[in-house]
Amino acid sequence: MELVFFWIKGYEKIKSEAFNFSSNFQFSYNANKLFFEENNEAVNIFAENTPNISNVTVIVGENGSGKTTLLMALSDVYRIESIEGASAIPYIIIFFQPATEKNMPGEFFIWYSKLDENIEQIKRQEKYKFFFNTKSLSESICMVNYTNTFSCSSYMASFLKSEGHFYNLSLMQSLQSAKSNAVEMRVTNNESDPILNFFHKSTQRQMRALESANLPFTLSRLAVKKMNYRDIIQDLIKNKFSGFRVIKKQINDIFQSEKFDFLQAEDARFCIEGILFSLLRRIVPALSSQSTQKYYINIKEILEKWEEIISYNKNNITDDVVFIMKFVNVTMNKMINPPANKAAIAMAYKKTIKFLLEDEIKTDMLDDGILLNLNGKKNVAKIKAFYNNYLVSIGQIYDYLLFEWEMSTGEFAFFDLYATFYELGQKIQDQERQSGTRTHSMLILMDEADLYLHPKWQQKFVERILDMMPAIFEGKKIQIIFTTHSPIFLSDIPNHHIIYLTGSDDKIVIDTNIKKKTFAANIYNLYNDSFFLNDNKHIGIIGDYSNGIIKTLRENLESINKDLNNYEDDRKHEIQTLSNLEYVSAYRRVLEKNKKIIDLIGEPLIKNMLLNLWESANDKLSACFDDHVQNSTVVIEKFKDLTQPEQVKVMEFIIRNHKHLGEMK
């Protein structure tokens, strides 16, 4: 199913506005009546060129024009129809289900609320059926809302919980979820930090995505670095409280000892220093004006034990692990309020240390850490297990290591987006497996998902998304609605797939006056015509997706020209067959489709180049048809001169080639 029309009244800045999302169907609503028109001339290049993508629409406009509001309205109406079942706001939402068999009618499913039933008196057509307020919308389609922006509107959208077949993947919703999880953890073990919890869950999600066979790029290394809390903890102990000066001085002297500077990254013991301060952080926050001298004595004894451990002349890694674990256990026993699961925490520390000191998947040393090799499933599995042990050891709050993927900011942004949708794809598969039911369509709303990407990655964005989504949501028809500010993004989108919004602070309006060709258009022109900017420098390039379409189109036209040249040579040598004539007829249909795509292109140089190729092929084809008319009588007479068995063989030849010729249409 594909969203084709949406009308809503009285939703924030949307006073009463209709939005058409299909280039093939145009609906309108006026005076309690719904009107429908079909456009047979439109070409949907996404559905024709990208498997399992039913349609793509982009919403653009200046800041405050209502792009995000429109997506929120769609989310709300979907949830109302699928989950809540009642609305105080008038709306109409229409989805189209194409015919699954030849000669069967396509179906429009129309849901509406708070409107007169006259809406159902729409003019019917025999090749389409119309259904009003029938089954639940979520029975047929999943909706996904994704945004990575920080704003008031995205904050309000974060309260839309994922339920039923509605999935909220907004950044703000992820933070809300991390906050809720942190509160639950605080109740159970008094350890929580919502921001750290958010980052840890993000890293876990990204590690799970490494299992995907369709990861859009190769990740080779993960950096593990130490976190330095020494100064923070030292200041807390030294300056926060006025009492226990003698013990504080003793503690400070230990901190200043050269022994605390012996750890070098070269021997991979950088993590050990982090463990010391991770454990101290479990004690120091408990200090208060009512703290007893015992707190400080315990800290002093812990540091003295640390001195003893690092002073020991270690001969091998096993000794390192043994002595470090002694230190961990001493620290746990010195805590005034030790965690209930201290045995599990101690074991997790041990496994973490053993991995960092022993495992051979380390590839290089950094000034403040190491690099881990991600190549191969075994290495990925080891790193995931290591990370999970690390999370147990820190109790989701007392970090002593940092984890950073070795990639650029743009690569990471896309990797995190991929990991987010990959996790959802796995979740939906599990839900459908358990329930025994399956939805066959998805509507994905992506609000400025390209916002933080470098122009190089914006250029790749549409093509990457259109490759990524069908691989993740296998077997589903996918429709995507984007909002964007990127002119590079827009150069991959034909103009009739774009909704331009304008508006003031209190009203959203669709701008129908922008007629500029956007597909493969010059970025400078797109900025001026689509984004209302006049004073910026722009890059004169087109997106990878439209570039691929143009390359295929050029190769297609060159091939047709070559074939028609061969046909001309045959004609000169008086070689005339029924097969030649059938191919000429098929090429006519191919050229008609190619001309529609050429008409979409906005860049004059590219458009003229393709148009010259097309006109050359068209002229040759016209000559072939003229020749066909002149020779048709001769061909018929030759056919009549054949014996009956020969005529049968000719007809069988035509039938055998009919399927191949049909594929050229």
Side-chain angles (χ1 to χ4, degrees):
M1 287 178 64
E2 173 190 342
L3 174 66
V4 295
F5 179 74
F6 181 54
W7 176 90
I8 192 167
K9 180 179 181 181
Y11 186 95
E12 295 190 12
K13 291 168 51 173
I14 308 177
K15 303 306 179 185
S16 178
E17 198 67 52
F19 304 92
N20 279 285
F21 295 93
S22 171
S23 54
N24 299 108
F25 309 114
Q26 293 290 304
F27 286 85
S28 60
Y29 176 69
N30 187 30
N32 293 327
K33 291 185 179 180
L34 192 61
F35 301 91
F36 165 71
E37 292 182 4
E38 187 174 5
N39 180 10
N40 292 318
E41 297 300 315
V43 55
N44 183 344
I45 62 171
F46 302 106
E48 292 193 7
N49 292 279
T50 312
N52 289 336
I53 296 292
S54 62
N55 200 5
V56 173
T57 303
V58 176
I59 304 167
V60 297
E62 55 192 349
N63 287 329
S65 59
K67 301 183 295 296
T68 300
T69 301
L70 175 53
L71 297 192
M72 288 180 62
L74 283 169
S75 297
D76 276 348
V77 168
Y78 175 88
R79 293 177 74 255
I80 288 168
E81 280 298 338
S82 304
I83 302 166
E84 299 173 6
S87 172
I89 301 175
Y91 64 79
I92 305 168
I93 189 166
I94 304 176
F95 285 80
F96 176 66
Q97 176 64 56
T100 55
E101 297 180 13
K102 191 175 181 180
N103 299 324
M104 292 291 290
E107 298 174 335
F108 289 99
F109 292 89
I110 303 172
W111 288 267
Y112 66 93
S113 177
K114 303 296 181 182
L115 297 175
D116 193 287
E117 291 186 358
N118 285 334
I119 187 177
E120 299 188 11
Q121 305 304 313
I122 188 171
K123 186 178 179 181
R124 311 288 172 132
Q125 296 187 20
E126 289 186 2
K127 62 178 179 178
Y128 299 116
K129 288 184 177 181
F130 293 82
F131 301 92
F132 293 85
N133 287 346
T134 55
K135 57 185 178 180
S136 170
L137 185 53
S138 65
E139 292 180 17
S140 302
I141 190 166
C142 298
M143 178 180 279
V144 181
N145 177 48
Y146 175 87
T147 178
N148 60 354
T149 60
F150 282 92
S151 64
C152 290
S153 56
S154 63
Y155 176 71
M156 294 304 297
S158 71
F159 290 97
L160 294 176
K161 294 182 179 180
S162 296
E163 51 186 328
H165 288 142
F166 174 80
Y167 303 94
N168 189 350
L169 300 186
S170 69
L171 175 62
M172 294 297 291
Q173 203 282 329
S174 296
L175 287 170
Q176 289 279 2
S177 177
K179 180 180 177 181
S180 299
N181 290 341
V183 170
E184 292 174 6
M185 290 170 59
R186 183 179 294 120
V187 171
T188 58
N189 59 15
N190 201 34
E191 298 177 350
S192 86
D193 185 318
I195 300 301
L196 284 176
N197 191 36
F198 167 77
F199 282 112
H200 288 312
K201 288 194 174 297
S202 297
T203 303
Q204 285 181 301
R205 179 172 65 241
Q206 292 152 13
M207 286 190 175
R208 284 193 291 270
L210 294 177
E211 301 170 350
S212 169
N214 299 301
L215 197 64
F217 41 73
T218 302
L219 293 176
S220 59
R221 300 191 300 184
L222 173 67
V224 182
K225 302 179 180 181
K226 69 178 180 180
M227 299 178 71
N228 189 356
Y229 293 108
R230 178 188 298 196
D231 294 338
I232 297 173
I233 294 174
Q234 190 174 354
D235 288 342
L236 279 171
I237 295 172
K238 180 179 178 181
N239 302 319
K240 187 171 181 180
F241 312 105
S242 58
F244 319 121
R245 293 182 181 178
V246 175
I247 296 178
K248 285 185 179 180
K249 184 178 185 306
Q250 293 172 343
I251 292 173
N252 190 60
D253 289 342
I254 297 174
F255 268 118
Q256 299 302 321
S257 170
E258 292 181 359
K259 294 176 182 178
F260 272 90
D261 296 323
F262 96 104
L263 295 172
Q264 300 295 324
E266 290 89 288
D267 60 9
R269 292 186 178 89
F270 69 93
C271 61
I272 302 173
E273 181 180 355
I275 290 172
L276 164 68
F277 294 109
S278 169
L279 291 167
L280 287 175
R281 286 186 69 214
R282 294 178 182 266
I283 299 175
V284 172
L287 296 174
S288 66
S289 57
Q290 288 78 38
S291 296
T292 65
Q293 188 173 3
K294 186 176 181 180
Y295 275 103
Y296 295 94
I297 293 175
N298 284 355
I299 293 173
K300 178 175 177 291
E301 290 178 354
I302 288 169
L303 294 174
E304 288 171 346
K305 185 65 178 178
W306 173 261
E307 283 192 299
E308 176 187 332
I309 291 172
I310 63 178
S311 299
Y312 179 78
N313 184 20
K314 305 173 189 63
N315 296 317
N316 53 53
I317 290 174
T318 302
D319 286 342
D320 283 341
V321 176
V322 170
F323 274 83
I324 292 168
M325 288 313 301
K326 285 183 179 180
F327 170 72
V328 170
N329 290 323
V330 167
T331 305
M332 290 288 186
N333 292 329
K334 291 293 182 181
M335 292 180 181
I336 303 297
N337 296 308
N341 59 336
K342 67 178 183 178
I345 291 175
M347 181 56 68
Y349 272 117
K350 182 177 181 179
K351 291 180 179 179
T352 301
I353 295 163
K354 284 176 68 66
F355 176 87
L356 290 170
L357 295 180
E358 294 179 0
D359 207 287
E360 297 179 354
I361 69 173
K362 299 185 290 292
T363 62
D364 203 356
M365 304 305 302
L366 304 170
D367 291 339
D368 55 352
I370 59 174
L371 290 173
L372 302 179
N373 181 8
L374 291 168
N375 294 326
K377 291 183 178 180
K378 288 185 178 179
N379 284 358
V380 170
K382 284 183 178 181
I383 292 172
K384 287 175 63 179
F386 155 64
Y387 186 75
N388 290 333
N389 282 321
Y390 170 75
L391 292 183
V392 175
S393 74
I394 65 174
Q396 296 279 19
I397 182 170
Y398 302 107
D399 284 85
Y400 53 91
L401 299 176
L402 289 172
F403 296 83
E404 296 179 357
W405 304 101
E406 285 287 292
M407 60 176 66
S408 68
T409 303
E411 288 174 323
F412 176 75
F414 197 88
F415 174 45
D416 185 62
L417 185 150
Y418 179 87
T420 299
F421 277 93
Y422 178 78
E423 182 181 56
L424 176 62
Q426 298 301 301
K427 178 180 179 179
I428 291 175
Q429 285 183 19
D430 291 341
Q431 289 176 340
E432 292 181 342
R433 193 180 301 112
Q434 292 172 8
S435 66
T437 61
R438 177 177 173 83
T439 55
H440 298 282
S441 302
M442 295 196 71
L443 174 58
I444 300 176
L445 312 179
M446 303 189 73
D447 190 12
E448 299 188 21
D450 61 317
L451 184 62
Y452 305 113
L453 296 181
H454 185 276
K456 174 184 175 182
W457 279 91
Q458 291 180 0
Q459 187 177 354
K460 301 173 183 292
F461 189 79
V462 172
E463 185 174 48
R464 288 287 180 91
I465 290 293
L466 297 186
D467 288 341
M468 179 182 93
M469 294 303 181
I472 291 176
F473 304 108
E474 190 175 352
K476 295 185 185 296
K477 283 291 185 179
I478 301 167
Q479 178 182 8
I480 307 176
I481 300 177
F482 296 100
T483 69
T484 186
H485 282 106
S486 170
I488 301 174
F489 190 116
L490 215 59
S491 73
D492 276 337
I493 310 297
N495 191 62
H496 58 267
H497 287 262
I498 301 172
I499 297 175
Y500 297 92
L501 298 184
T502 60
S504 59
D505 292 337
D506 61 351
K507 188 177 182 181
I508 292 176
V509 178
I510 298 177
D511 190 337
T512 58
N513 296 320
I514 301 177
K515 304 296 185 182
K516 183 70 177 180
K517 301 290 185 182
T518 54
F519 187 74
N522 183 280
I523 305 301
Y524 177 83
N525 294 333
L526 290 179
Y527 252 126
N528 287 328
D529 293 340
S530 301
F531 296 88
F532 320 102
L533 300 176
N534 298 304
D535 57 353
N536 287 312
K537 296 179 180 179
H538 313 299
I539 305 171
I541 57 177
I542 64 175
D544 284 355
Y545 185 79
S546 57
N547 187 61
I549 297 292
I550 289 169
K551 181 180 178 181
T552 302
L553 184 59
R554 186 196 70 217
E555 292 171 351
N556 191 6
L557 290 170
E558 288 174 347
S559 176
I560 292 175
N561 271 286
K562 182 179 178 180
D563 287 350
L564 292 175
N565 286 338
N566 293 337
Y567 177 88
E568 182 68 15
D569 291 339
D570 288 348
R571 189 183 66 81
K572 288 179 179 178
H573 292 87
E574 298 182 349
I575 301 172
Q576 186 69 47
T577 68
L578 289 172
S579 177
N580 290 140
L581 299 177
E582 286 290 338
Y583 272 103
V584 168
S585 179
Y587 280 138
R588 172 65 67 192
R589 293 187 289 273
V590 173
L591 284 179
E592 288 174 354
K593 183 181 291 186
N594 288 346
K595 182 60 165 60
K596 291 181 179 180
I597 297 177
I598 292 173
D599 288 341
L600 297 174
I601 297 174
E603 168 55 45
L605 185 63
I606 297 174
K607 185 172 185 176
N608 289 336
M609 178 269 291
L610 292 173
L611 199 56
N612 287 336
L613 285 172
W614 184 89
E615 288 174 349
S616 173
N618 192 57
D619 290 342
K620 293 172 183 176
L621 196 63
S622 297
C624 291
F625 267 91
D626 292 340
D627 193 55
H628 168 47
V629 172
Q630 294 172 8
N631 289 282
S632 59
T633 303
V634 176
V635 172
I636 293 171
E637 292 299 322
K638 287 183 178 181
F639 182 81
K640 290 180 178 179
D641 292 337
L642 297 174
T643 64
Q644 186 174 359
E646 289 173 335
Q647 290 179 350
V648 171
K649 287 183 178 181
V650 170
M651 295 304 296
E652 288 175 347
F653 174 83
I654 294 174
I655 293 171
R656 281 198 308 270
N657 285 272
H658 179 73
K659 180 179 180 181
H660 174 65
L661 294 169
E663 291 173 351
M664 297 176 58
K665 295 180 182 179

